[in-house]
Amino acid sequence: MPKIVNHDKRREQLAEAAWRVIRREGLEGVTVRSVADEAGMSLGSLRHYFVTQSELLAFSMRMVSDRVNQRIAKLPFNGVPRHDIELVIREIMPLDEERLAESEVWISFTGRAMVDPTFRALSLEVHESLYEGFRRMINVLIQLKLTDEGIDAELETRRLHALVDGLVIHSITNAERHDPDEMWRVVMLHLDQLIVNEYKP
């Protein structure tokens, strides 16, 4: 009886192999052959799923975003704004090994995005998605009167976005100073200053 292959799972495994190569050797170390070797697969078998290196890398980049979104969709939200905002931000930041790997891979891809239109388009898409997510957070806080009156929603959105992005980049580019607890304290301090009123459902 022929073996049934889950093609979607196999593509994910190949993308994960590409991530490992990226973390170990950088993006320049990724070739179709190096990923096939990392995955323990023949070159011909890999090309059944990804014909070109660019196709493999684009899928690998997209999978970073997809995995974060999948985790966020499963979060145990309870309707308390501060609680729910913290849950989402924790999924974006490299606070454990899984999220650290995703952040390292994503930062590698953003460098490629500066010179490759395909990667730039996806990078901008994710950037805008994050911005919209942070804007929704700020809008909820303002609507529930949990912030100071009259704050600038656009400015506060950009500030929160920049804070989280900046912490992610610092943790990757200064790995020896990567301290998840310290990063999270910075986020908590910012939320303490932003959310000044008690939530009353």
Side-chain angles (χ1 to χ4, degrees):
M1 186 173 182
K3 183 178 180 180
I4 298 175
V5 178
N6 185 326
H7 295 290
D8 290 337
K9 186 64 176 178
R10 187 58 59 86
R11 287 188 181 91
E12 290 181 5
Q13 290 170 346
L14 288 167
E16 289 170 349
W19 290 5
R20 292 194 295 273
V21 174
I22 291 170
R23 296 187 74 194
R24 188 172 63 243
E25 303 175 30
L27 197 59
E28 62 276 7
V30 177
T31 64
V32 174
R33 183 172 296 280
S34 69
V35 173
D37 290 344
E38 179 69 26
M41 182 183 294
S42 71
L43 193 58
S45 295
L46 184 149
R47 290 191 185 281
H48 178 72
Y49 299 98
F50 300 104
V51 177
T52 66
Q53 178 191 24
S54 292
E55 187 180 340
L56 168 61
L57 288 174
F59 181 86
S60 300
M61 183 179 186
R62 167 71 69 180
M63 198 169 82
V64 178
S65 174
D66 288 346
R67 288 216 171 158
V68 174
N69 288 331
Q70 287 165 10
R71 289 200 305 270
I72 289 175
K74 297 176 182 177
L75 288 172
F77 296 122
N78 66 7
V80 177
R82 172 71 181 255
H83 170 268
D84 292 350
I85 287 171
E86 288 180 16
L87 286 182
V88 173
I89 293 176
R90 290 189 73 89
E91 292 304 324
I92 299 169
M93 298 184 64
L95 301 177
D96 60 20
E97 181 58 28
E98 179 182 9
R99 287 170 285 180
L100 176 61
E102 291 170 348
S103 296
E104 288 177 352
V105 170
W106 186 261
I107 294 301
S108 296
F109 280 125
T110 56
R112 178 73 172 261
M114 296 180 68
V115 297
D116 188 316
T118 300
F119 293 92
R120 179 166 176 76
L122 180 53
S123 180
L124 288 173
E125 176 188 326
V126 172
H127 180 86
E128 289 303 312
S129 177
L130 281 172
Y131 168 84
E132 292 299 330
F134 288 126
R135 183 59 186 258
R136 287 193 295 273
M137 294 177 187
I138 297 299
N139 286 346
V140 167
L141 295 177
I142 292 174
Q143 290 165 6
L144 295 175
K145 302 186 184 305
L146 301 180
T147 65
D148 283 329
E149 188 175 351
I151 69 166
D152 186 324
E154 170 69 11
L155 184 61
E156 290 299 337
T157 299
R158 292 186 179 278
R159 188 158 73 125
L160 180 56
H161 193 176
L163 174 69
V164 174
D165 264 0
L167 288 170
V168 172
I169 292 171
H170 285 187
S171 72
I172 303 307
T173 57
N174 296 284
E176 67 280 1
R177 299 188 64 183
H178 175 249
D179 183 340
D181 292 336
E182 184 64 26
M183 282 197 300
W184 190 243
R185 281 196 291 272
V186 173
V187 173
M188 294 295 282
L189 176 62
H190 180 73
L191 294 179
D192 287 343
Q193 295 172 346
L194 178 64
I195 303 172
V196 298
N197 296 318
E198 182 181 355
Y199 173 62
K200 297 178 180 179

